[in-house]
Amino acid sequence: MPEAPHNLHDLYEAILTGDATRSVEITQAALDAGVDPQCLVNEHMIPAMDEAGRRFEIHDFFVPELLIAARAMKGALVLIRPLLAAQGVQPIGRVVIGTVKGDLHDIGKGLVASMLAGGGFEVVDLGVDVPASKFIEEAIKHSADIVAVSALLTTTMVGMKDVVQALRDSELRDRCRIIVGGAPITQQFADAIGADGFSSNANSAVTLARTIVASA
Ligand code: B1M
C-alpha cells in the first residue's frame, strides 16, 4: 500500500479549524493512498468534532466555528460516504432514518445511514428536524422494517418518545422496530421510552439492525 502523503493529524486540524478545502484535499490524497475510510472517520474526523464540542463548552468556540468545522467534515464525508455504501447487493431490510424534530445535527445520522447502506440495507434518509408523523408516514410508504432516530441535544431527545408512541399507535406496530442513537442517548433512556434498540455508534447500529431483521 502506498504511504499516505499527509500526516493524518492534518485532517484533524483541518476539520477543527474549518478548512474545508484542505480537509477534502487530505481526504482525497489519503483515499488515493489506500487509507481505510473508516480509520479516517473514527480516528481523525470524529475526534476533531469532539474537540470542537469541547471548545464550545468552554466558550473557546461559538456557533460559527462549529458550523465551519461541520462544513469541513461534511466536505470530506462527500468523498467517504459512497465508499461506505454497498454496491448492487440485495437489501436485507429497509430503514427509514432521520434526526428528531427540533434537532439540526446531521453528521452522525448521515454516517449511520451510510454504514447501514454499506451493511446491505435500503435506507431512506428523511434529513433533520423530522416530526414523529413524518417518520411513520414514510415508514408506511416504504414498508420499513426499522425506523432509526438520531438526537444530539438533551432538549430534543425527549421527542424520540413521540416517535415510539406514534409507531405503536400505527398499523406498523407489529412489523416495524424502532432504534435510537446519538451522543446523549443511553440504553437506559432507550428502555425508558420503549425503543426496541440503542446503539452508540454507526458500526454497532448495523449489527443491531441486522439482529433485528434476523429475529423478525
Ligand atoms: Co451542536 N451541540 N448545537 N451544532 N454540536 C452539540 C451536540 C453539543 C454537545 C456541543 C457542546 O456543548 N459540547 C451541544 C449539546 C448539549 C446538550 O444538549 N447536552 C450542542 C448545542 C448546545 C447546540 C446548539 C443549541 C448551539 C446554539 O445554537 N446555542 C445548536 C442547536 C441547533 C439545533 O439542532 N436545533 C447547535 C448547532 C450546531 C451546528 C448547526 C453549529 C453544528 C451541526 C452541523 C450539522 O450537523 N450539520 C453543531 C455541531 C457540529 C456540534 C458538535 C460540535 C459535533 C456534532 C457532530 O457532528 N459530531 C457537538 C459536540 C459533540 O458531539 N462532540 C454539538 C460528530 C458525529 C459523527 O458524532 O453526531 O455523536 P454524533 O454521531 C455518532 C454517534 O452519536 C452515533 O453514531 C455516530 C457515528 O459514530 N449516532 C447514532 C448518532 N445518531 C445515531 C442514530 C443511531 C445510532 C447511532 O440509530 C438510530
Side-chain angles (χ1 to χ4, degrees), residues 95 97 111-123 148 179 202 205-206 209:
V95 181
I97 189 167
L111 273 173
V112 173
S114 299
M115 291 298 293
L116 286 169
F121 286 86
E122 188 179 313
V123 179
I179 64 173
V206 179

Side-chain angles (χ1 to χ4, degrees), residues 67-122:
L67 274 173
I68 59 168
R71 190 184 56 188
M73 172 126 181
K74 288 172 97 174
L77 283 176
V78 167
L79 302 174
I80 288 177
R81 283 187 65 167
L83 303 176
L84 301 177
Q87 289 164 0
V89 290
Q90 270 299 80
I92 56 172
R94 283 194 201 89
V95 181
V96 163
I97 189 167
T99 303
V100 75
K101 187 171 165 53
D103 198 322
L104 304 177
H105 295 84
D106 69 350
I107 295 175
K109 180 266 300 162
L111 273 173
V112 173
S114 299
M115 291 298 293
L116 286 169
F121 286 86
E122 188 179 313

Side-chain angles (χ1 to χ4, degrees), residues 46 49-50 52-54 56-57 63 66-67 70 73-74 97 102-109 111-112 148-155 179-183 199-202 205:
I46 290 181
M49 296 307 285
D50 283 345
R54 193 190 68 78
F56 180 77
E57 263 173 31
V63 171
L66 291 190
L67 274 173
M73 172 126 181
K74 288 172 97 174
I97 189 167
D103 198 322
L104 304 177
H105 295 84
D106 69 350
I107 295 175
K109 180 266 300 162
L111 273 173
V112 173
V149 191
S150 177
L152 265 280
L153 298 171
T154 45
T155 48
I179 64 173
V180 293
S199 80
S200 63
N201 61 60

Side-chain angles (χ1 to χ4, degrees), residues 92-93 121 145-146 177 206-216:
I92 56 172
F121 286 86
D145 303 292
I146 297 173
R177 299 285 170 260
V206 179
T207 312
L208 174 65
R210 284 190 173 146
T211 309
I212 286 175
V213 290
S215 63

Side-chain angles (χ1 to χ4, degrees), residues 132-209:
S133 57
K134 178 79 175 166
F135 276 106
I136 308 311
E137 268 167 49
E138 294 292 324
I140 292 171
K141 185 166 145 196
H142 297 281
S143 299
D145 303 292
I146 297 173
V147 168
V149 191
S150 177
L152 265 280
L153 298 171
T154 45
T155 48
T156 57
M157 62 193 261
V158 289
M160 288 174 152
K161 193 173 185 338
D162 298 338
V163 189
V164 172
Q165 194 55 52
L167 187 69
R168 301 285 172 252
D169 291 342
S170 79
E171 64 192 74
L172 291 174
R173 84 181 146 268
D174 297 325
R175 58 189 166 91
C176 181
R177 299 285 170 260
I178 180 161
I179 64 173
V180 293
I185 312 303
T186 60
Q187 182 67 56
Q188 197 186 14
F189 176 77
D191 293 342
I193 63 169
D196 299 301
F198 155 75
S199 80
S200 63
N201 61 60
N203 291 324
S204 59
V206 179
T207 312
L208 174 65

